[in-house]
Amino acid sequence: MKKFIFSSAILFSISVQLVLAQKIPNKKEVLKVLKSTNAYFMNKWPDAGKSIITNRERPSNIWTRAVYYEGLMNLYQIHPEKAYYDYAVQWGQKHNWGLRNGISTKNADDQACGQTYIDLYQIDQQPERIKDIKASIDLVIKSGKVNDWTWIDAIQMGMPVFAKLGKLYNDTTYYNYMYKMYLHSKNTEGGGLYNAKDGLWWRDKDFVPPYKEPNGEDCYWARGNGWVLAALVRVLEIIPENEPHRNEYLKTYHEMIKALVPIQRTDGFWNVSLHDATHFGGKETSGTALFVYGMAWGVNQGILDKATYLPIITKAWNAMTKDAVQKNGSIGFMQGTGKEPKDGQPVTYTSVPDFEDYGLGCFLLAGTEVYKLKK
């Protein structure tokens, strides 16, 4: 009898934990942590145009800062604080709404800032805000070349810019061309950077087999796959329901989500190496945040089953806010820049990545979608 009572108590405890795990995060608490982490950054960088100095000096309109502003604009959508808008406008103005390396650049890292420029133009239609980014993308299209996105990060940096311009000008030319560029990365570059069998992407041609991780598995870098998932979300959010390639994007989105679920760590995070937990294994926030962003968006859109994915999302979000966010608003367990698991290591609670901006951007993207979750 005692054994039965003890077993029942264990089952009850487990069921209570499962119920708690599925509980949607409190909106006030979510917003509080988003405001706190963002305040840390804005206070640290009051001058939005100040150059970023690490191993060398870089202008602050590069991709790392662009990803932060993507997150900030999403935060502004759910919490329209004037200071957020002003900070984004200041960033554009300090760079004369321009791109690093000018309009002739074909580098998606240079074009990433255009996502926020276009968002700000839609709020206040001042022509200078989109003049350069439109000119740059138009030159890419005019070139007729579709092989510029040779690494999967570029899909997130560049693809949503095409989608936003297509919607802004009601011009399918942008939709069609971004699809060609996306398809080149997916199926042609390096023999194809997407492995449909595993539902995951190799970062670039250097990681396509026969390259292997130490345990013999393929190398799937968490943040790289997070970039692609984020790009798919942002594009699906923008393009019309009847856009001819929408189903292709949705199919890959679902394949990626399905692949990510069984490899989530027991603590809620994902490892930097998705198929080799022994290769610099441990908590990592940027990849985890991007996966949360993708899954929470899917639940909010009704394309992912809430009962199935809410526990996964909640577990990851709670893990990040409990284990990674520090009292001063900085975020730990954040891998620095690079392209594979060994880069930017060691990743710890107190380690500071070479750039603090893009990781925060990923976290803000995740948090704004978690905030939108409904009971």
Side-chain angles (χ1 to χ4, degrees):
M1 184 67 175
K2 288 182 179 179
K3 186 176 181 181
F4 173 78
I5 293 172
F6 182 69
S7 298
S8 297
I10 292 176
L11 288 172
F12 176 77
S13 176
I14 291 172
S15 65
V16 169
Q17 288 179 39
L18 287 172
V19 170
L20 289 174
Q22 294 182 48
K23 187 178 179 182
I24 294 174
N26 180 276
K27 286 185 181 294
K28 288 184 178 179
E29 291 301 314
V30 173
L31 185 58
K32 181 180 178 181
V33 74
L34 293 178
K35 291 171 67 176
S36 171
T37 52
N38 186 65
Y40 164 82
F41 185 80
M42 285 180 63
N43 291 333
K44 187 171 182 178
W45 293 86
D47 181 354
K50 186 178 180 181
S51 295
I52 305 168
I53 300 176
T54 54
N55 59 323
R56 61 184 177 87
E57 185 172 352
R58 296 175 178 86
S60 68
N61 58 349
I62 58 173
W63 73 268
T64 67
R65 193 60 52 87
V67 172
Y68 161 70
Y69 280 102
E70 287 179 56
L72 181 66
M73 294 307 292
N74 273 34
L75 176 58
Y76 180 71
Q77 287 178 8
I78 65 166
H79 186 67
E81 217 171 87
K82 186 175 181 295
Y84 299 162
Y85 172 78
D86 291 345
Y87 192 54
V89 170
Q90 182 201 151
W91 181 60
Q93 290 175 335
K94 288 289 181 78
H95 296 289
N96 295 313
W97 305 99
L99 287 59
R100 180 183 64 165
N101 298 314
I103 65 170
S104 63
T105 184
K106 298 181 73 178
N107 188 334
D109 286 351
D110 296 341
Q111 296 164 338
C113 59
Q115 296 191 45
T116 297
Y117 292 173
I118 296 168
D119 287 346
L120 293 171
Y121 173 80
Q122 290 176 314
I123 296 172
D124 183 1
Q125 296 189 1
Q126 299 183 29
E128 66 269 20
R129 294 186 176 187
I130 59 167
K131 179 183 176 183
D132 282 9
I133 186 58
K134 183 180 185 302
S136 181
I137 299 303
D138 287 349
L139 284 173
V140 171
I141 295 173
K142 187 178 179 180
S143 76
K145 295 181 178 179
V146 296
N147 60 349
D148 294 323
W149 299 342
T150 59
W151 71 112
I152 60 176
D153 314 32
I155 295 173
Q156 197 285 142
M157 306 307 160
M159 197 171 174
V161 177
F162 282 80
K164 286 175 182 286
L165 288 172
K167 183 177 181 179
L168 182 62
Y169 290 100
N170 192 26
D171 187 347
T172 58
T173 301
Y174 295 102
Y175 298 150
N176 293 332
Y177 207 84
M178 77 172 181
Y179 177 70
K180 291 177 182 178
M181 295 184 73
Y182 166 80
L183 217 58
H184 176 88
S185 301
K186 184 179 183 182
N187 297 334
T188 306
E189 179 65 31
L193 300 180
Y194 181 62
N195 185 353
K197 176 177 173 288
D198 287 340
L200 295 169
W201 297 67
W202 297 292
R203 198 268 180 178
D204 58 52
K205 64 181 181 181
D206 292 341
F207 298 96
V208 173
Y211 186 94
K212 297 289 182 183
E213 288 284 73
N215 70 346
E217 290 280 338
D218 283 12
C219 181
Y220 301 120
W221 182 43
R223 190 163 67 232
N225 278 272
W227 290 136
V228 178
L229 189 63
L232 292 172
V233 164
R234 295 178 74 75
V235 168
L236 286 166
E237 202 168 44
I238 297 164
I239 61 176
E241 289 291 328
N242 63 351
E243 204 280 330
H245 310 112
R246 186 179 184 87
N247 287 338
E248 161 72 18
Y249 301 140
L250 265 175
K251 180 176 181 291
T252 305
Y253 167 84
H254 281 293
E255 289 171 354
M256 292 187 70
I257 294 293
K258 183 179 179 182
L260 290 168
V261 171
I263 55 177
Q264 184 182 28
R265 291 163 51 94
T266 56
D267 59 18
F269 286 84
W270 274 266
N271 289 302
V272 292
S273 179
L274 294 177
H275 277 197
D276 188 351
T278 67
H279 194 206
F280 294 96
K283 303 170 184 179
E284 202 286 306
T285 307
S286 64
T288 298
L290 290 169
F291 299 151
V292 169
Y293 172 53
M295 291 182 188
W297 178 84
V299 170
N300 287 328
Q301 296 297 312
I303 62 175
L304 291 182
D305 178 64
K306 185 177 180 180
T308 301
Y309 288 94
L310 186 56
I312 300 165
I313 294 164
T314 303
K315 186 177 184 180
W317 177 253
N318 289 342
M320 289 190 292
T321 54
K322 176 179 175 290
D323 297 343
V325 176
Q326 303 180 23
K327 288 183 179 180
N328 68 352
S330 62
I331 304 175
F333 297 110
M334 193 75 72
Q335 186 182 18
T337 55
K339 64 178 186 176
E340 59 180 309
K342 72 179 179 64
D343 292 331
Q345 296 287 350
V347 176
T348 67
Y349 176 70
T350 57
S351 63
V352 179
D354 48 354
F355 296 82
E356 287 190 276
D357 43 14
Y358 63 85
L360 172 58
C362 298
F363 185 76
L364 295 177
L365 289 173
T368 51
E369 285 300 324
V370 169
Y371 179 87
K372 296 174 188 176
L373 290 169
K374 297 178 181 178
K375 293 182 180 179

